[in-house]
Amino acid sequence: MVKVTVWGSLRSFTDGQAVVEVQADTFKSVLDALAKDYPGLIPQIEAGVSLAIDGRIYKDSWFTPVTPDSEVVLMPLMQGG
Amino acid sequence: MAFDEYQKRDFKVIGTTPLRPDGIDKVTGRAQYGADYYLPGMLVGKMLRSPYAHAKIKSIDTSAARAMQGVKAVVTADDFPGTATGETLDVQDHCLARGTALYDGHAVAAVAAIDAETARQALKLIKVDYEVLPHVTSIEDAVKPGAPLVQEGRRGRKVPKQFSDNCTGWCEFGHGDLEAGFAKADKIIERTFKTSSTHQGYIEPHACLASMGSDGRADVWCCTQGHFHVRNLCAQIMDMDQSALRVTASEIGGGFGGKTTVFIEPVALLLSLKAGHPVKVVMSRDEVFKASGPTVASMTDVKIGMTKDGRITAADALIRYEGGAWPNLTIFPGAQSAFACYDLEAVRAQGLNALTNRPLQAAYRAPGAPQSIYAVEAVVDELALELGLDPIDVRLKNAAKKGTKSSYGPTYDDIGLVQLLEAAKAHPHYSAPLGPNQGRGISSGFWFNFGGETCVSLALDFDGSITLVEGNPDIGGSRASMSMMAAEELGIPYEKVRTIVADTASLGHNEVTHGSRVTFAVGLATIKAARAAKTEMCRRAAKIWGIDEDAVVWEDGFAKPAGPNAGEYEPMSIEKIAKDSPRTGGPIVGHHEVTAEGAGVSFGVHICDLEVDPETGFTKILRYTVLQDAGKAIHPQYVEGQLQGGAVQGIGWALNEEYIYGEDGRLQNAGFLDYRIPVASDLPKIDTVILEIPNPGHPYGVRGVGETGIVPPLAAISNAMSHAIGVRMQELPMSPPKVLKAIKNKG
């Protein structure tokens, strides 16, 4: 299981949990599992999210591996100027 | 080790400062900007804009304009195909109002005519029947229950009920127990800060030329930070295949985030479709201010607790942004960035975005970060002052470092904030004496940086020179930087590489030039494309020599046998391999396509000295030093330019720049005479110190440098102002009348 940290305003969709556990081994499967286990997150996931995996921010790399030891943080989609 | 990970090495080209390839064209007028494109039969397009901040469009009568001699087309939003949805529909609505004018200057119709004067006269013949609606232009008013509603049905999920239906977004980041943290504090300071909307202030107005063919295929030439994005937006709005629209990016006279979307291109295409002629649209400066995105305005509450020895025990912020009449996402990085410079046990940043009757905000260097970090850095400064502590020591005591759990969630890898603060403290500027009415301020700053979709092609020409094709408009020296990285990797002189920015039909998709991404991401792709070319060149040499390709290495522009066991062969030059390439297998091209990740965050520290005239409130910046981590500076002069440019824009933001709206909701200062950006005579030389803490995610260690430089100036100048006049101002800009008022109110 992978522990995923969810930002504060989404915690009402994860039963108040700041960290949720999902069965996943890649960027894509983390998002799929979050959507399956916590359907309230779907609008945000569809609007766009990033994942920080072990401190490195990934915008959209589906096949990036994730392990049970990984630090995984759900983040809003990045933009810049 | 993967190629995209940092490997320490000695450089020959990287770190030098060759001449910029676009310099001569720009100073001789040969460079083509957005308004410099012409086609046979070209028409002039112009927009009719709303004189009201908020008004229902009951009807538009274009018959008289259509009947005017020389007018070839008149369009309104009803003429769009109606295929745009979601955010793209918002973009379309911002280009041409659909049913309701949502801000002063919102375009409601457009004309294409044989010349500019005919187009202007035709606009006067368009009759619009407006029903004026209540408006709201300030963030303070927009979030209140009962505020005039800008758009219905836009309230965001999870927006707390005490805020109005104008509020489209709510977010919260942080960790730890705030209550317990504040209980440990010896001193708690809580303040509210405001910043105004500021424009990116690029010198070149938006301009485009659109040519729609009778076969439904089209070309657009425009000034933009991302022509692939322009193509994709326009294709959806115009119901075209993306491949049916080719977009070519012109040279660009500044963007700073403001040219990451479209304002006129879909309208020019629509006019061209209706008229059957190419149509050029060029915004006036008035239109640029009124109808192209400024940055968000903000109102931020910050509360920070600190122990007597300077350790922050808890930090909390409520950040409110307004970004015009459509939803935007800038509040997210604003809230994420607020406390990113600090290693905190208890932290929370809440963010709220609200609609107002203003143009849709556009990104502006590190979008969202300057406003929130300004408020945080001002309170940290005040705490240090109140507790009698050195402001750099306080920041060092609390600085984020490798292993810190950031305020927005992830744990930091290698970062350079501590090194920057130590360098700032040791810098002669920090200990230089100050005179009467003078003050010194410092601030830290942060930005994420990122990578994104990137596609590069590197061709070995038959004489051994290199044509490198990238797809990102060059707004900060990327052609030089890419040429340098290709030259470094291939072991050839910089002058042997020419980098061009290709149109959308020549490469795969490239994400917009934003997010400080290009030197990192396009550089990474360039290095990999060069490595692919090197691999192929080694393979060709191996075939000529009749040895295994693994027995050939590439060094300093030559293929060489890997060692004595490979055989005795004279090194084969890149020129020789290129010349023989038609007979050894064909042209040699290296290319690389990637969604680049691992950009590596960036920090900066600024020191500012200023002097205030107590009789007039005029502020003069006396000395300014920027310290920033570049990971690896590819072309140090370009890096220096980015740091200086960010500082100067921040100085303007802090001291003078602001959108001023009247009671009628109309913009009062849509021009550079009334909207005061800094000019050279306002400024001292901006000193720079470039630190190089390599980014582990790039082969040469590069971090983006384009955005962080605008983050610290707001607080650095505000803090300096507080020390100069003895009172803390909590609103930007600190223009002379406001400074004078603050001094007088002090008593």
Side-chain angles (χ1 to χ4, degrees), chain B residues 23 97 181 310 332 362 384 413 439:
Chain B
F332 285 101
D413 199 338

Side-chain angles (χ1 to χ4, degrees), chain A residues 7-9 11-13 40 43-44 52 55-61 71 73 75-76 78-81, chain B residues 157-158 170-173 257 330 332 336 363 367 410-411 447-448 450 453 511 514-515 597-598 697 707:
Chain A
W7 77 80
S9 41
R11 288 173 194 164
S12 58
F13 305 115
Q44 182 62 54
R56 187 176 288 191
I57 300 170
Y58 294 84
K59 179 192 165 197
D60 223 357
S61 291
E71 179 198 65
V73 181
M75 293 175 56
M78 291 283 107
Q79 60 164 351
Chain B
R157 294 195 310 164
K158 311 313 296 178
W170 172 258
C171 57
E172 181 180 317
F173 300 90
T330 301
F332 285 101
Q336 289 175 285
T411 300
W447 182 243
F448 296 96
F450 56 84
E453 302 89 9
E511 186 166 318
H514 68 156
E597 308 281 17
E707 295 174 284

Side-chain angles (χ1 to χ4, degrees), chain A residues 9-24:
Chain A
S9 41
L10 294 182
R11 288 173 194 164
S12 58
F13 305 115
T14 57
D15 307 322
Q17 300 173 88
V19 179
V20 298
E21 291 197 17
V22 295
Q23 188 72 47

Side-chain angles (χ1 to χ4, degrees), chain B residues 414-495:
Chain B
D414 288 312
I415 56 173
L417 180 57
V418 168
Q419 293 94 321
L420 288 164
L421 287 163
E422 287 171 343
K425 190 162 188 192
H427 196 283
H429 182 169
Y430 194 61
S431 53
L434 289 167
N437 301 315
Q438 296 179 359
R440 173 170 299 139
I442 72 143
S443 174
S444 301
F446 162 88
W447 182 243
F448 296 96
N449 298 334
F450 56 84
E453 302 89 9
T454 307
C455 183
V456 161
S457 180
L458 181 149
L460 176 64
D461 299 313
F462 287 161
D463 62 357
S465 61
I466 298 293
T467 299
L468 180 67
V469 182
E470 61 148 317
N472 279 92
D474 179 355
I475 62 172
S478 58
R479 281 168 293 191
S481 298
M482 296 316 132
S483 293
M484 292 172 75
M485 283 187 261
E488 181 74 47
E489 200 63 32
L490 294 170
I492 61 175
Y494 162 79
E495 293 76 15

